[in-house]
Amino acid sequence: MTTSETVRTSSGVPELHVCTPDGRVFRFARTFCVGREHDCELRLQDAKVSRKHVEVSFRDGRWQLRDLKSANGVFVNGQRVETAIIADALTASLGIDGPSLVFEVDPQHRPPKKTPLGSAATLQSSRGETKLLANYEQRYFGSGAVHGPIGGRTMMIRKAFGKVQRKQKQRFIWVVGLMALAVMGAAAYGYHKHQQLKEQQALALAFFYDMKSLDVSIAKIEQALAQSGNAVMQQEVRDLRARRRQTESTYDNYLQVLNLYDQKLSEEDRLILRVTRRFGECELAATPEYIQLVKSYIQKWRSTDRYANAIRTATQMGYTPKIADEFIKQNLPPQFFYLAMQESSFNAFASGPPTRMGYAKGMWQFIPDTGARYGLTIGPLASYPRPDFRDDRHDWQKATHAAARYIKDIYATDAQASGLLVIASYNWGENRVIKLVRSLPPNPAERNFWKLLEKYHDRVPGETYDYVFNIVSAAVIGENPRLFGFPFDNPLAFAETQ
């Protein structure tokens, strides 16, 4: 049963009805807030809703909503918005997969729709034709009471009309029957094709996650090989790589059958799917909401000079080929290059925020403990936010080699070859992320950034969420910078042929 809760109205403002996911209907005629806090006029106890998520007010003769800098945002038609106008009705989601609210202006306050009116002459003519038709209908097909006994001519007309009606009825039955058969056939064919599509998608997903499992196995053996150099293990890696190539070829064949990239996708959408694949996530599982979210972060990069300046620095200093080469040696996607751009804009002498372990430093922003673990000498100024030439974290080549090994270790174990989980681990700390990841089912299909957010949405910091999407969107731009308005070509184009 739908319940109704009314808020006191004020004159001159049309009522706004708000329907919540649990069926309640609220009525407002003044500014109100939606959120989890007690002083919100409309409270929603949902983890995806911020304490004060959105404000709705009546301004300039119309209702409108405004995002109150919420953690998860406000989405209308799959796009994140800061404000939205409520003309007659509007559906908004608090968070990309959060609760949806339906806003509707009271129909009694909507302006009446205009209907075209004919001229007096036209109306008079219409009435005359209607009366004439009624006379003929009564004369030839009525009971005969008005115009006296039925004549022979009238009877012949009635018999002819009856015969025509019977033929039309028979024809109509045949036509309806044939149409019904055609509809049933089309429905059966459509259902068969739909089932075929579902089966092909399921098989494609199975091959993709088989490929991910092989990635994890290869990475683990390569870790052991780095210490032992065992010839048997080297052969095992070669065999696994051959299996992976075959599995990837089969998966690509399924993508062609499913026409994923042949659909009416924009070039921007295609690049987003390709980069998602390169970071170890299945493009078949990418939702329209995910694609729109990446696009919103692309716009953020386009709104500043930071992207172009960072690429210019990496190019002029000769960082790009060395960074890409280190990741390729670890059999990782060279797109992890953009992680250094997010961390420091390729500033080898950057000092980050303080931590209880000292300051994060260098291009890759290693904290002292992690840097030492990967063979970097930590200088005596670790507790001070300034460059230290005795600190290997400022040696960009040594630090890049350490970063590639560190990322490989995360990639190979609990993150299950999910590039997005690796990126989240690098930002928030692998111990924090991996502790949560280990509570997820131990298979690649269940271990990805989306599953982590689904289960631990409130525990993943907004900074980490932004960090992941900043790097993914930067990698998308890097595939074709000119498409996004940048005056240079793909800085990693040379790596595509390796």
Side-chain angles (χ1 to χ4, degrees), residues 90-112:
L90 179 76
T91 300
S93 297
L94 307 188
I96 194 167
D97 57 351
S100 293
L101 298 176
V102 179
F103 300 88
E104 184 177 13
V105 179
D106 185 353
Q108 294 182 359
H109 292 84
R110 298 178 191 171

Side-chain angles (χ1 to χ4, degrees), residues 200-201 204-205 251 255 258 260 273 281-287:
Q200 289 169 346
Q201 286 178 332
L205 287 169
Y251 173 70
L255 290 186
L258 294 168
L260 179 65
L273 293 181
E281 301 293 351
C282 184
E283 62 259 72
L284 282 172
T287 64

Side-chain angles (χ1 to χ4, degrees), residues 113-166:
K113 295 182 179 179
K114 296 181 179 180
T115 55
L117 298 176
S119 64
T122 302
L123 291 173
Q124 185 65 31
S125 173
S126 177
R127 292 193 189 101
E129 289 179 1
T130 302
K131 185 175 181 180
L132 183 62
L133 287 172
N135 288 337
Y136 275 109
E137 180 182 347
Q138 179 63 32
R139 177 175 180 182
Y140 290 107
F141 307 109
S143 62
V146 176
H147 295 283
I150 299 173
R153 186 170 181 273
T154 301
M155 286 295 297
M156 290 299 295
I157 290 174
R158 288 189 179 184
K159 287 181 180 180
F161 182 72
K163 188 175 181 181
V164 169
Q165 276 189 316
R166 286 191 295 273

Side-chain angles (χ1 to χ4, degrees), residues 40-53:
C40 289
E41 287 81 358
L42 200 166
R43 292 181 60 208
L44 292 176
Q45 294 303 321
D46 190 291
K48 299 178 180 63
V49 178
S50 296
R51 289 189 293 272
K52 283 192 176 179
H53 202 113

Side-chain angles (χ1 to χ4, degrees), residues 224-235:
L225 267 173
Q227 300 175 357
S228 68
N230 185 292
V232 174
M233 295 173 69
Q234 290 175 350
Q235 182 58 47

Side-chain angles (χ1 to χ4, degrees), residues 163-351:
K163 188 175 181 181
V164 169
Q165 276 189 316
R166 286 191 295 273
K167 287 183 177 179
Q168 287 181 335
K169 185 176 181 180
Q170 291 173 354
R171 188 178 300 140
F172 177 76
I173 292 172
W174 275 103
V175 169
V176 169
L178 290 173
M179 288 179 64
L181 287 174
V183 169
M184 289 173 63
Y189 178 75
Y191 177 78
H192 174 68
K193 296 296 289 184
H194 177 69
Q195 290 300 111
Q196 271 192 331
L197 183 65
K198 286 180 64 177
E199 290 173 3
Q200 289 169 346
Q201 286 178 332
L203 286 170
L205 287 169
F207 277 105
F208 179 86
Y209 290 114
D210 281 348
M211 189 168 63
K212 293 259 288 182
S213 295
L214 289 168
D215 283 337
V216 175
S217 298
I218 292 168
K220 287 181 176 179
I221 297 173
E222 285 178 338
Q223 282 181 319
L225 267 173
Q227 300 175 357
S228 68
N230 185 292
V232 174
M233 295 173 69
Q234 290 175 350
Q235 182 58 47
E236 188 175 355
V237 168
R238 286 194 289 269
D239 292 342
L240 288 174
R241 287 202 176 284
R243 280 179 54 193
R244 192 202 182 282
R245 286 193 295 270
Q246 183 177 2
T247 304
E248 184 170 21
S249 176
T250 304
Y251 173 70
D252 287 336
N253 288 337
Y254 272 105
L255 290 186
Q256 290 182 0
V257 171
L258 294 168
N259 292 322
L260 179 65
Y261 286 97
D262 293 337
Q263 295 172 1
K264 294 181 180 179
L265 295 176
S266 67
E267 181 60 21
E268 188 175 356
D269 290 352
R270 290 190 180 93
L271 291 178
I272 291 172
L273 293 181
R274 289 192 185 107
V275 167
T276 299
R277 163 87 171 271
R278 283 171 183 162
F279 274 125
E281 301 293 351
C282 184
E283 62 259 72
L284 282 172
T287 64
E289 291 79 12
Y290 164 74
I291 292 174
Q292 289 301 322
L293 195 56
V294 175
K295 288 181 178 179
S296 71
Y297 280 84
I298 289 172
Q299 289 302 115
K300 291 180 182 179
W301 280 116
R302 296 178 67 185
S303 67
T304 72
D305 295 329
R306 184 185 165 205
Y307 192 100
N309 291 338
I311 295 297
R312 187 181 304 112
T313 297
T315 302
Q316 291 175 350
M317 299 298 292
Y319 295 154
T320 309
K322 174 65 177 176
I323 293 173
D325 186 57
E326 285 291 348
F327 286 109
I328 291 170
K329 284 179 181 176
Q330 297 292 341
N331 293 308
L332 293 172
Q335 281 74 20
F336 278 114
F337 164 85
Y338 296 99
L339 191 148
M341 186 169 80
Q342 174 64 20
E343 284 287 352
S344 66
S345 295
F346 300 111
N347 180 359
F349 297 99
S351 290

